[in-house]
């Protein structure tokens, strides 16, 4: 995403947002309240989806249109706008609208929401100034990490270095970059507190050593299903018969050794040959040996069809499981409910980590179902709020449940149903409303709740005002941002030291690129005085990023 400097006469030019989704609502709220921008919103209806909430925001102009077309863009005065965000759920529709917008205003900055990120990288080259973002890609690592019981997305790649979020007591002090939060109060964590050493969650360098227990690579879906079904068939159908036959073999071996005159080693050898059908009749054998030989041979004849039946049944059941869903015991897996845009990414990332996954969705045409089946993962089509659907996903033996439907009530109902089946289950809930999420966590003892739009909106907002957000770090229901901030000529940052910037804003400077150097200094001195064309890498709250971006704008006061 290119980072361009804003001009003074561009500052008050309005921004245009197309969409009525939760992401659109949070983005508009960010632009108005965090960045002090004037926003025009194009949506289908003020009465549908998040239209009523968007219309209630102050300093927002709402235009109702069936689609973001030329007529809607002209009504929104796109020719004089500074940036346009296209947030529809259809990738092709967003690209089409972007092409129309560029014809109206060739200098317009475009921010596109695309699910297909590989397509997005190619699309960017078609426009002069374009940022392509995926809210699903931004949010998925947080849900994956939460389902595995970890803090935040574990690793973040920044300017050639890998950083990771970790507890302070789990990392060497020399590898800590900065403190992130005091999470003593898990409901209201203190982000970037003034006292650095009060933080228990920190950002650190990864130095190539093992920083977390690796997840064992998952075998192929068929082999995993074969092992599960072999065990289930054996236990269910022939355990008692097999045990009886092996007891008879042990008795036969003992009879050969005790009464037949064999050593114990030769007794075992004789028994093995007789089981394999290699017994030879000999008239001179003692009667006890003849009886024992006949018994062992009959046992061997009985064992062969039992082993064959078990093996065939296990193979057939494994093939059915790979094609239709889990058959037989399924353990230590993650149940993912809702295989839409976010669910598809969560399933793919869990699979890449070698974590077994069972997907559940009531819609057979959900975006993530072809992906799950291509990966050989079992998928159950059904209502996740029903007890029988969750039991079919083996919720009782799973390691976690992740609910990713786009409807809060559906997610909550599925979570409560799962908790009724198993009260110690780790539950990760997708919820939009922060107040509702806090109440749910407290009253229903839900482990983790996340909002996709809350995780993604800050990055979209920063892209709208032409700044680069490199990564997001969720802490509870709040989020910290890693961003790149240039120091422009005549800005509020020029002449300040790094220490002063950190004191006046909710920001931690983690790296500095001096204007005369290409390398990034990861231990910038607090007394370094900023000059134009320096570049800062910062960790900031949403408010802090707004403050420092206002200071970095030409003519910004920084107050």
């Amino acid at each position: 995403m290119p980072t361009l400097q804003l001009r003074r006469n561009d500052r008050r030019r309005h921004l245009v947002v197309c969409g009525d989704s939760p992401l659109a609502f949070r983005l508009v709220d960010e632009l108005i309240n965090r960045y002090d921008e004037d926003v025009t919103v194009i949506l289908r209806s003020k009465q549908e989806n998040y239209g009523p909430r968007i219309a209630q925001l102050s300093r927002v102009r709402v235009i109702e249109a069936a689609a973001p077309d030329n007529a809607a863009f002209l009504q929104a005065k796109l020719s004089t706008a500074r940036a346009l965000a296209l947030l529809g759920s259809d990738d092709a529709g967003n690209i089409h609208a972007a092409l129309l917008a560029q014809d109206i205003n060739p200098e317009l900055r475009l921010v596109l929401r695309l699910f297909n990120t590989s397509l997005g990288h190619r699309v960017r080259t078609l426009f002069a100034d374009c940022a392509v973002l995926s809210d699903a890609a931004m949010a998925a690592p947080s849900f994956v990490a939460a389902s595995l019981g970890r803090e935040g997305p574990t690793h973040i790649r920044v300017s050639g270095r890998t950083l990771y979020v970790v507890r302070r007591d789990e990392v060497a002090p020399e590898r800590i970059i900065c403190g992130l939060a005091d999470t003593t109060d898990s409901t209201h964590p203190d982000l970037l507190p003034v006292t650095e050493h009060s933080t228990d969650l920190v950002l650190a360098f990864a130095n190539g050593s093992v920083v977390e227990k690796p997840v064992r690579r998952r075998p192929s879906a068929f082999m995993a299903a074969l092992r599960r079904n072999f065990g289930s068939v054996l236990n269910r159908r022939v355990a008692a018969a097999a045990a009886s036959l092996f007891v008879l073999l042990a008795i036969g071996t003992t009879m050969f050794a005790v009464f037949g005159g064999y050593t114990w080693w030769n007794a075992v050898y004789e028994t093995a040959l007789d089981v394999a059908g290699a017994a030879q009749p000999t008239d001179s054998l003692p009667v006890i040996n003849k009886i024992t030989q006949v018994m062992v041979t009959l046992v061997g004849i009985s064992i062969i069809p039992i082993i064959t039946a078990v093996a065939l049944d296990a193979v057939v059941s494994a093939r059915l499981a790979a094609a239709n869903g889990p058959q037989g015991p399924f353990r230590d897996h993650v149940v993912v409910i809702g295989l839409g845009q976010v669910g598809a990414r969560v399933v793919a990332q869990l699979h890449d980590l070698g974590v077994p996954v069972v997907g559940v969705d009531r819609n057979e045409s959900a975006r993530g179902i072809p992906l799950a089946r291509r990966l050989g993962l079992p998928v159950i089509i059904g209502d996740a709020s029903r007890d029988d659907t969750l039991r079919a996903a083996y919720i009782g033996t799973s390691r976690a449940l992740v609910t990713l439907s786009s409807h809060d009530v559906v997610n909550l109902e599925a979570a409560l149903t799962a908790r009724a089946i198993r009260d110690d289950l780790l539950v990760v809930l997708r919820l939009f409303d922060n107040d509702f999420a806090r109440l749910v966590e407290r009253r229903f003892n839900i482990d983790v709740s996340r909002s996709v739009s809350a995780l993604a909106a800050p990055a979209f907002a920063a892209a709208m005002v032409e700044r680069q957000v490199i990564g997001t770090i969720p802490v509870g229901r709040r989020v910290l941002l890693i961003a790149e901030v240039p120091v422009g000529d005549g800005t509020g940052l020029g002449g300040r030291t790094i220490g002063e910037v950190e004191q006046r804003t909710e920001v931690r400077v983690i790296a500095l690129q001096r204007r005369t150097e290409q390398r990034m200094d990861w231990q910038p001195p607090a007394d370094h005085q900023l000059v134009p064309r320096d570049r800062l890498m910062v960790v900031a709250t949403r408010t802090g990023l707004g403050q420092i971006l206002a200071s970095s704008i030409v003519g910004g006061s920084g107050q």
Side-chain angles (χ1 to χ4, degrees):
M1 187 191 311
T3 303
L4 306 176
Q5 183 164 305
L6 299 179
R7 299 182 295 275
R8 181 189 299 270
N9 61 358
D10 278 347
R11 181 68 181 91
R12 295 304 335 157
R13 291 170 64 189
H14 68 288
L15 307 175
V16 180
V17 175
C18 295
D20 58 2
S21 62
L23 176 61
F25 170 72
R26 288 199 187 274
L27 173 58
V28 174
D29 182 65
E30 288 271 335
L31 293 172
I32 293 172
N33 297 314
R34 304 282 180 181
Y35 295 99
D36 190 32
E37 298 284 356
D38 298 320
V39 182
T40 299
V41 180
I42 300 174
L43 47 73
R44 186 180 300 274
S45 171
K46 294 180 182 180
Q47 309 304 321
E48 297 178 1
N49 300 321
Y50 280 78
R53 294 196 188 191
I54 294 173
Q56 290 176 359
L57 293 172
S58 60
R59 292 176 54 192
V60 61
R61 179 184 174 217
V62 176
I63 295 174
E64 294 181 292
D69 52 18
N70 281 322
F73 287 152
L74 292 175
Q75 190 177 355
K77 300 180 180 179
L78 195 65
S79 59
T80 59
R82 193 166 90 241
L84 167 68
L86 295 163
L87 306 180
S89 58
D90 178 20
D91 288 0
N94 288 337
I95 296 172
H96 182 208
L99 292 170
L100 295 176
Q102 189 178 50
D103 288 340
I104 296 174
N105 185 348
E107 296 182 356
L108 184 70
R109 176 164 177 78
L110 297 169
V111 177
L112 272 64
R113 174 197 184 195
L114 295 183
F115 174 79
N116 189 332
T117 52
S118 60
L119 172 64
H121 289 306
R122 295 179 176 87
V123 166
R124 281 179 49 186
T125 62
L126 301 177
F127 303 97
D129 185 8
C130 178
V132 176
L133 304 175
S134 168
D135 55 331
M138 292 177 187
S142 176
F143 286 100
V144 170
S147 71
L148 300 178
R150 302 171 187 163
E151 287 286 352
T154 307
H155 297 90
I156 304 165
R157 188 72 174 169
V158 178
S159 294
R161 300 293 297 270
T162 297
L163 317 180
Y164 69 103
V165 181
V166 66
R167 292 286 175 182
R168 182 180 289 274
D169 58 3
E170 297 176 0
V171 64
E174 62 270 16
R175 288 168 54 194
I176 296 176
I177 301 172
C178 71
L180 297 177
D182 179 358
T183 61
T184 305
D185 182 354
S186 59
T187 305
H188 300 92
D190 185 10
L191 304 186
L192 303 180
V194 176
T195 306
E196 168 76 13
H197 293 290
S198 68
T199 57
D200 56 350
L201 197 66
V202 301
L203 188 67
F205 290 114
N207 65 353
S209 62
V210 178
V211 298
E212 60 182 296
K213 183 179 180 181
V215 181
R216 185 165 55 91
R217 183 66 185 171
R218 184 188 176 194
S220 69
F222 175 74
M223 291 304 298
L226 179 60
R227 285 203 297 267
R228 291 194 306 272
N229 286 282
F230 186 86
S232 65
V233 171
L234 182 63
N235 291 333
R236 186 171 61 246
R237 299 183 179 178
V238 295
S244 300
L245 292 175
F246 281 107
V247 167
L248 290 175
L249 290 179
I251 293 173
T253 302
T254 302
M255 292 175 66
F256 276 134
V258 175
F259 303 107
Y262 292 93
T263 64
W264 280 100
W265 171 248
N266 285 335
V268 172
Y269 174 70
E270 186 71 23
T271 300
L273 289 179
D274 290 346
V275 167
Q280 296 293 329
T282 304
D283 293 338
S284 60
L285 282 177
V287 174
I288 188 65
N289 283 7
K290 290 181 179 180
I291 294 173
T292 304
Q293 190 178 62
V294 170
M295 179 188 71
V296 171
T297 303
L298 292 175
V299 169
I301 293 172
S302 302
I303 285 178
I304 292 174
I306 291 177
I307 293 175
T308 303
V310 169
L312 287 176
D313 201 344
V315 170
V316 172
S317 297
R319 294 191 182 279
L320 290 174
N324 303 318
Q327 307 287 329
F330 212 82
R331 297 181 178 277
D332 200 31
H333 58 291
V334 176
V335 178
V336 178
I337 294 174
L339 301 180
Q341 293 190 356
V342 181
R345 293 202 178 269
V346 169
V347 164
Q349 290 182 26
L350 286 170
H351 179 266
D352 289 342
L353 290 172
V355 179
V357 181
V358 174
V360 180
D361 202 297
R362 67 194 311 168
N363 184 2
E364 292 188 14
S365 60
R367 186 188 290 266
I369 289 180
L371 170 66
R373 288 178 172 162
R374 188 166 64 251
L375 296 175
L377 303 177
V379 175
I380 296 172
I381 304 299
D383 184 354
S385 65
R386 292 175 57 90
D387 182 276
D388 56 347
T389 302
L390 292 177
R391 290 187 185 277
Y394 287 91
I395 198 71
T397 55
S398 66
R399 66 191 297 173
L401 170 73
V402 185
T403 62
L404 296 173
S405 162
S406 58
H407 302 285
D408 286 1
V409 173
V410 172
N411 291 334
L412 180 59
E413 188 175 6
L416 294 179
T417 303
R419 272 290 170 82
I421 298 174
R422 181 178 157 199
D423 58 5
D424 64 339
L425 181 67
L426 172 62
V427 175
V428 182
L429 200 60
R430 176 183 178 180
L431 292 176
F432 170 79
D433 189 274
N434 280 318
D435 293 333
F436 182 44
R438 281 191 288 269
L439 290 173
V440 166
E441 287 180 0
R442 185 171 69 251
R443 298 291 178 86
F444 299 113
N445 193 30
I446 298 299
D447 301 280
V448 182
S449 65
R450 295 280 187 264
S451 167
V452 172
S453 57
L455 292 171
F460 278 82
M464 288 284 284
V465 297
E466 303 182 36
R467 291 298 183 267
Q468 184 174 5
V469 170
I470 297 170
T472 60
I473 303 172
V475 183
R477 292 283 296 180
R478 302 178 66 188
V479 65
L480 290 171
L481 309 171
I482 298 180
E484 180 183 333
V485 179
V487 179
D489 294 317
T491 67
L493 292 179
R496 288 186 182 177
T497 66
I498 289 177
E500 290 173 340
V501 170
E502 293 184 335
Q503 289 174 359
R504 297 191 185 190
T505 58
E506 297 177 16
V507 167
R508 295 289 181 272
V509 178
I510 61 175
L512 165 69
Q513 183 181 6
R514 295 172 175 85
R515 65 174 180 175
T516 58
E517 299 179 5
Q518 293 297 318
R519 69 179 184 86
M520 190 72 73
D521 182 0
W522 290 96
Q523 294 180 325
D527 59 356
H528 172 78
Q529 191 172 52
L530 297 172
V531 296
R533 292 184 295 282
D534 278 351
R535 304 186 79 84
L536 300 177
M537 195 74 66
V538 303
V539 176
T541 63
R542 292 182 298 167
T543 299
L545 184 61
Q547 292 170 340
I548 197 170
L549 289 183
S551 298
S552 69
I553 295 172
V554 176
S557 65
Q559 302 301 319

